[in-house]
């Protein structure tokens, strides 16, 4: 009977596995955009407002929190839920912050988007449609709702991080 309870203890909910997959994707996405590609529109917007150094610091903090969140999901550490909440909340805050920076100067954003797409060899059609306050607001809203849903899910599964893996003998 002890082996059955130990097996049940190790079983992970499908939602946590999907969350881990999303976090792994997000980690590599942020890492590649900030450190490899360097053609990340958010960095260009931050540079336009002379906030590039702060942007790098925040993205590094996000990468660290993201990596620790992934680790916490696999190891079920008690501190993991706080780290995961920190990453998700910081993601919402950054999305909203970048939205307000972006709509603060739409002409510059359109020019940056235009240059970015040309450098990557992509079509520049539709930039006027994509770079407008309504579309940016809708996108930010859906991203924020998604992260808030993840926060709700993690809170609902908070017991997942409190499971003890000790074998009582």
């Amino acid at each position: 009977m002890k082996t059955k309870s130990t097996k049940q203890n190790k079983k992970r909910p499908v939602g946590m596995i999907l969350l881990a997959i999303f976090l792994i994707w997000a980690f590599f996405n942020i890492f590649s955009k900030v450190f490899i590609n360097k053609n990340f529109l958010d960095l260009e917007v931050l540079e336009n407002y002379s906030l590039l150094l702060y942007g790098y610091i925040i993205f590094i903090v996000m990468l660290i929190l993201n990596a620790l969140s992934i680790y916490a999901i696999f190891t079920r550490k008690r501190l993991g839920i706080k780290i995961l909440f920190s990453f998700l909340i910081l993601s919402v805050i950054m999305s909203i912050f970048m939205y307000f920076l972006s709509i603060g100067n739409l002409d510059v954003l359109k020019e940056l988007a235009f240059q970015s797409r040309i450098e990557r060899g992509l079509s520049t059609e539709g930039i006027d449609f994509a770079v407008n306050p309504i579309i940016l607001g809708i996108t930010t809203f859906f991203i924020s709702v998604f992260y808030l849903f993840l926060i709700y899910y993690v809170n609902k599964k908070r017991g997942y991080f409190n499971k003890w893996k000790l074998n009582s003998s």
Side-chain angles (χ1 to χ4, degrees), residues 94-152:
M94 277 303 291
S95 294
I96 295 169
F97 178 69
M98 290 307 300
Y99 167 73
F100 283 113
L101 284 182
S102 296
I103 65 167
N105 197 343
L106 284 175
D107 293 333
V108 171
L109 182 63
K110 283 181 186 177
E111 182 60 33
L112 292 173
F114 186 79
Q115 289 173 0
S116 173
R117 293 187 67 82
I118 287 175
E119 288 173 8
R120 292 181 287 158
L122 301 173
S123 169
T124 57
E125 291 181 36
I127 287 181
D128 288 331
F129 174 76
V131 181
N132 73 59
I134 295 170
I135 298 299
L136 293 173
I138 290 170
T139 305
T140 302
F141 173 77
F142 282 116
I143 290 170
S144 299
V145 166
F146 175 72
Y147 278 108
L148 292 173
F149 169 76
L150 292 179
I151 291 168
Y152 170 77

Side-chain angles (χ1 to χ4, degrees), residues 3-4 14 16 18-19 26 34 39-40 42 44 62 86 93 114 119 125-126 130-131 145-146 151 156-157 163-165:
T3 56
K4 188 175 183 182
V14 174
M16 282 296 173
L18 292 174
L19 179 60
V34 174
N39 200 4
F40 187 31
D42 287 1
E44 294 179 24
M62 287 179 74
S86 299
I93 291 169
F114 186 79
E119 288 173 8
E125 291 181 36
V131 181
V145 166
F146 175 72
I151 291 168
K156 186 177 173 185
K157 296 290 186 182
K163 298 209 175 174
W164 292 95
K165 290 202 246 179

